[in-house]
Amino acid sequence: MKNTLQERSLATSRLFIAQSHNTFNFFFHVLLFASGLFIGIFLTLSLKHMSLNFQFLPSLSPPPIISTSTNPTTLTPNGLRGFLVPTKAMHDMTEEQLLWRASMVPRIEKLPWKHTPKVAFMFLAKGPLFLGPLWERFFKGNEGFYSIYVHSHPSFNDTVPQGSVFHGRRIPSKEVRWGDFNIVGAERRLLANALLDISNQRFVLLSESCIPLFNFSTIYNYLMNSTETFVEAYDMPGAVGRGRYNPRMKPLVMLSQWRKGSQWFQLDRALAIEIVSDQQYFPLFRKYCTRRCYGDEHYLPTFVSIKFWERNSNRTLTWVDWSKGGPHPARFMRNDVTVGFLERLRHGRTCQYNGETTNICYLFARKFTPHALDRLLRFAPKIMQFN
Ligand SMILES: *[C@@H]1O[C@H](CO)[C@@H](O)[C@H](O)[C@H]1NC(C)=O
Ligand SMILES: *[C@@H]1O[C@H](CO)[C@@H](O)[C@H](O)[C@H]1NC(C)=O
Ligand SMILES: *[C@@H]1O[C@H](CO)[C@@H](O)[C@H](O)[C@H]1NC(C)=O
Ligand SMILES: *[C@@H]1O[C@H](CO)[C@@H](O)[C@H](O)[C@H]1NC(C)=O
């Protein structure tokens, strides 16, 4: 842009000088000295004026790039592009730098270009995404409406094929031990990375054993149209509820404010930003909610219930079966996956959605084993109406 501008103004000044030369000849015999002086002054003034005009030209002649573009990748590097388009999921920011960047909020809410809001699907995985083929089917044909982020063990080095939706979607990860508070750190890292893309407006936390219960358009609309956030939170008496509260958290967190809930959440951008920016509750939980406390079941439910309960539904959209008891929910194998079972998960109960009763209460379900994949792939097109 800059180069062509210079070339154009150079060409025009050459033209101008040529024209001036004729004028110069005409006056030559009359007022040699005076006209020379005159032209000198005129030339200087005109050129100044012209180069000023040229500076305004680009915004007049070609259509303004920002306002007509639907895709931020066509924004110029000197314009908004460098700011808007996060290049790769992998980057070299430190955690501190990442959280700081992710915590930024524009004060002007309306975006000055056309954009399609996206859902960020954030996979918190130990190793391979063994239900990947099901998710590939789910995402197929919906490009531009979703982003994928994967947090896996740093030493995990499985390669993802080029054509996969998961290709190049791993974020800088740290080791996560189940039951340890650092799992909350991983959730926050996923959120922070997803926040770097300003198009991401909804944030869904998933594990490698999660499946979608509906097709993409149903899930997208459900999340986008929701006026509420989905962080499960309830008050539970007994050892595995209130019993995990540490009185040293007073006065920031009182026993009556202590909440429990599933870690598998669905949030909007505003709450995601609050979570990555939290400098108060996070350090307190990291200090006092360790080991048998299971921070991933308490930090977000408590934090959200204290500060952002007004817009929270207190429920999660991820179904899980705790009915068998014990520290882990039920796992589903091949023979568990039947048409009746999937239909029960999809429509088996009623709940509130945007103030109305609905029979779609869960969009996702866990925990499914690799053995369930075959049948899921077989049933998905018919039951979940994948296209
Ligand atoms: C992946 O890691 C394993 C050890 O964990 C190693 O044996 C293997 O060579 C690595 N593969 C690649 C492609 O780096
Ligand atoms: C939900 O949002 C979609 C667009 O994302 C719209 O087409 C649809 O009508 C909305 N549904 C409801 C029930 O508001
Ligand atoms: C969620 O729980 C909070 C208390 O923790 C309560 O004030 C709020 O009304 C609940 N919201 C819903 C939708 O039930
Ligand atoms: C998705 O599923 C819904 C029913 O849940 C159906 O009405 C819709 O047509 C499906 N969308 C696509 C793109 O197949």
Side-chain angles (χ1 to χ4, degrees), residues 91-108:
H91 54 75
D92 63 0
M93 275 185 271
T94 66
E95 183 133 338
E96 239 185 329
Q97 292 167 343
L98 169 70
L99 292 173
W100 176 79
R101 226 192 112 175
S103 73
M104 292 189 181
V105 188
R107 294 272 303 267
I108 297 176

Side-chain angles (χ1 to χ4, degrees), residues 220-221 224-225:
Y220 179 90
N221 288 340
M224 283 299 170
N225 294 351

Side-chain angles (χ1 to χ4, degrees), residues 138-254:
F138 170 78
F139 287 118
K140 196 158 178 266
N142 297 292
E143 294 74 21
F145 293 91
Y146 66 85
S147 315
I148 293 174
Y149 301 87
V150 182
H151 187 292
S152 24
H153 195 282
S155 72
F156 176 65
N157 63 1
D158 204 11
T159 53
V160 179
Q162 201 106 44
S164 164
V165 295
F166 298 104
H167 182 79
R169 300 314 302 165
R170 266 178 83 173
I171 63 160
S173 308
K174 290 185 184 167
E175 189 181 346
V176 165
R177 270 164 287 126
W178 255 241
D180 195 295
F181 192 69
N182 64 14
I183 201 167
V184 180
E187 292 173 13
R188 210 156 74 137
R189 237 175 341 266
L190 276 164
L191 278 175
N193 278 281
L195 278 167
L196 298 184
D197 184 344
I198 206 155
S199 297
N200 288 330
Q201 294 294 326
R202 297 292 183 274
F203 302 80
V204 177
L205 185 69
L206 298 160
S207 77
E208 65 268 66
S209 69
C210 285
I211 64 161
L213 289 173
F214 292 88
N215 63 16
F216 186 89
S217 55
T218 304
I219 288 182
Y220 179 90
N221 288 340
Y222 196 101
L223 294 170
M224 283 299 170
N225 294 351
S226 173
T227 56
E228 292 179 311
T229 55
F230 300 92
V231 177
E232 190 182 42
Y234 51 86
D235 184 9
M236 190 192 202
V240 296
R242 286 194 173 211
R244 291 177 182 169
Y245 171 75
N246 186 335
R248 291 160 94 173
M249 289 183 165
K250 274 187 227 172
L252 199 57
V253 179
M254 308 301 281

Side-chain angles (χ1 to χ4, degrees), residues 58-70:
S59 64
L60 292 174
S61 45
I65 298 160
I66 288 170
S67 58
T68 57
S69 168
T70 52

Side-chain angles (χ1 to χ4, degrees), residues 324-337:
K324 308 231 162 77
H328 295 288
R331 287 149 60 87
F332 300 100
M333 319 272 182
R334 186 171 189 283
N335 291 334
D336 300 312
V337 180

